[in-house]
Amino acid sequence: MIKIVSKFFLIVGLITTLAACGNEASSQSSSEGADNKGWPEELTLVQMPNENNPNAASMHSALRDHLAEELGIEVKEFEGGSYAVGIEALASGNLDIMLASPMSYYQADQKAGAELLAIPQVEGQEYYTAFIAKEDNGEINNLEDIKGKNFAFVNAASSSGYLYPKGTLVQEFDLDPDLVEQSGNFFENVTFSESHVNSVMGVKMGDFDAAAVAIGQLDSMVEAGTIKKDEFKIIGRTDDIPDASYIMREDLPEDFKKALRDAFVSFEDEKYFEAVHNDPKARFVAPEQDYYDTTIEMLEAINALEEDAE
């Protein structure tokens, strides 16, 4: 499962290449004939790293080739790392499709009139953040008990490791979102561990009384034998976190957008879905345009969107 707010930067070469692609596409569009109904002669797509499966990038060529065959146009694919750069490229017309988190979709919609294109649908898979503590910690048995304790988020760019758990605490306890991270307020001390693994191990070693950890990361550590399930207890959880989605420029031709959605939905490469989404039966579906509404409401509750606007 590809998950949300990246903390890396696109390489400078990618920015230059996207700009070149945009200029090339513009010059080509002026010479297009009626045969292609005004469709672009090429499509530019940016993928983002998969924090759960770094090796998944090698499978993206299968999706690229499928889209090219279905649409009858060239598809250029790049590996990115910064949603911010992708959004700017989308707004300038130098990029057609990108993989986006809920927050980056909101930003792209505000700046570029982005439109949801396709989301991966994995049956029976839940993605949420678990609030964990050590099983033998008798002082912490529910969310209320973490008040005044040492707590770990992952980092300020992580949806599952920060945005969602912070939003849950703000809404549950009516907290001032600007004070949650400040030691001596709700928590005695707040640490940003920089990874889900660090947060789990910090709880295990007693460095943190509790932490916010993506349930998938916790399960993976149990399966790998790094930790034992009975060493921890889940004292609370966030709402389910929507998966990342592919978004596209809103100003593409309507019949092209329909063909593009159809091309995603018709993609049935089981090896791809096994590698990228850990389920060979997963498929792309066309989402409703309100897919991220509840997430945006949560982000508004913690002032995340206002801070971004500033």
Side-chain angles (χ1 to χ4, degrees), residues 21 29 69-70 87 98-99 102 126-127 137 180 201 212 229 234 236 246 249 253 265 273 278:
C21 288
S29 62
E69 181 177 354
E70 291 295 304
I87 290 166
M98 65 177 283
L99 192 64
E126 291 183 305
Y127 189 79
N137 188 336
V180 173
M201 297 308 295
K229 188 174 183 179
I234 295 176
Y246 285 99
R249 288 195 293 116
V265 172
F273 287 106
N278 302 315

Side-chain angles (χ1 to χ4, degrees), residues 64-99:
R64 179 197 64 207
D65 293 344
H66 171 80
L67 295 176
E69 181 177 354
E70 291 295 304
L71 297 170
I73 63 175
E74 182 180 2
V75 177
K76 294 186 175 180
E77 179 196 49
F78 303 92
E79 184 75 14
S82 169
Y83 289 118
V85 175
I87 290 166
E88 291 301 325
L90 203 71
S92 65
N94 295 325
L95 175 63
D96 302 303
I97 303 172
M98 65 177 283
L99 192 64

Side-chain angles (χ1 to χ4, degrees), residues 33-273:
D35 290 345
N36 215 21
K37 301 179 181 180
W39 287 14
E41 292 188 0
E42 66 179 28
L43 193 68
T44 306
L45 182 156
V46 166
Q47 301 284 0
M48 293 291 171
N50 183 339
E51 66 179 31
N52 291 328
N53 186 0
N55 297 319
S58 62
M59 293 299 299
H60 286 314
S61 59
L63 175 61
R64 179 197 64 207
D65 293 344
H66 171 80
L67 295 176
E69 181 177 354
E70 291 295 304
L71 297 170
I73 63 175
E74 182 180 2
V75 177
K76 294 186 175 180
E77 179 196 49
F78 303 92
E79 184 75 14
S82 169
Y83 289 118
V85 175
I87 290 166
E88 291 301 325
L90 203 71
S92 65
N94 295 325
L95 175 63
D96 302 303
I97 303 172
M98 65 177 283
L99 192 64
S101 69
M103 179 180 280
S104 56
Y105 162 70
Y106 171 85
Q107 295 165 341
D109 186 42
Q110 296 297 303
K111 294 182 179 180
E115 189 172 324
L116 289 173
L117 171 59
I119 59 172
Q121 187 174 71
V122 183
E123 294 296 335
Q125 187 177 74
E126 291 183 305
Y127 189 79
Y128 61 89
T129 299
F131 293 89
I132 65 169
K134 285 188 72 174
E135 178 61 40
D136 61 4
N137 188 336
E139 295 185 358
I140 301 178
N141 297 295
N142 53 55
L143 278 184
E144 292 183 354
D145 294 338
I146 64 177
K147 183 177 180 180
K149 300 298 193 294
N150 298 322
F151 188 81
F153 290 110
V154 173
N155 65 64
S158 171
S159 289
S160 58
Y162 174 67
L163 295 175
Y164 267 80
K166 177 179 176 177
T168 299
L169 294 173
V170 167
Q171 294 173 325
E172 181 76 15
F173 301 111
D174 194 26
L175 304 178
D176 183 338
D178 295 328
L179 299 179
V180 173
E181 301 91 333
Q182 293 187 20
S183 298
N185 285 284
F186 184 76
F187 296 114
E188 178 63 25
N189 291 292
V190 175
T191 300
F192 286 89
S193 71
E194 296 305 323
S195 79
H196 294 275
V197 172
N198 288 346
S199 289
V200 174
M201 297 308 295
V203 171
K204 180 177 179 178
M205 301 301 294
D207 297 329
F208 317 128
D209 298 313
V213 180
I215 189 63
Q217 294 281 350
L218 189 66
D219 290 342
S220 294
M221 292 178 71
V222 172
E223 291 174 6
T226 307
I227 58 172
K228 295 180 180 178
K229 188 174 183 179
D230 61 8
E231 292 179 295
F232 301 88
K233 55 186 169 184
I234 295 176
I235 57 173
R237 56 158 288 177
T238 67
D239 291 338
D240 288 348
I241 302 174
D243 204 345
S245 65
Y246 285 99
I247 64 175
M248 60 183 168
R249 288 195 293 116
E250 193 176 46
D251 60 353
L252 291 168
E254 288 300 321
D255 58 341
F256 179 74
K257 288 191 288 188
K258 181 182 183 304
L260 188 53
R261 280 199 179 93
D262 291 344
F264 268 89
V265 172
S266 66
F267 184 55
E268 298 182 341
D269 189 320
E270 293 190 353
K271 290 183 179 179
Y272 170 90
F273 287 106

Side-chain angles (χ1 to χ4, degrees), residues 286-300:
E288 298 294 331
Q289 294 302 306
D290 62 357
Y291 178 65
Y292 284 142
D293 281 4
T294 56
T295 306
I296 291 171
E297 289 174 6
M298 188 273 295
L299 294 172
E300 289 174 340

Side-chain angles (χ1 to χ4, degrees), residues 22-32:
N23 293 335
E24 181 182 351
S26 298
S27 63
Q28 288 175 336
S29 62
S30 63
S31 62
E32 287 174 351

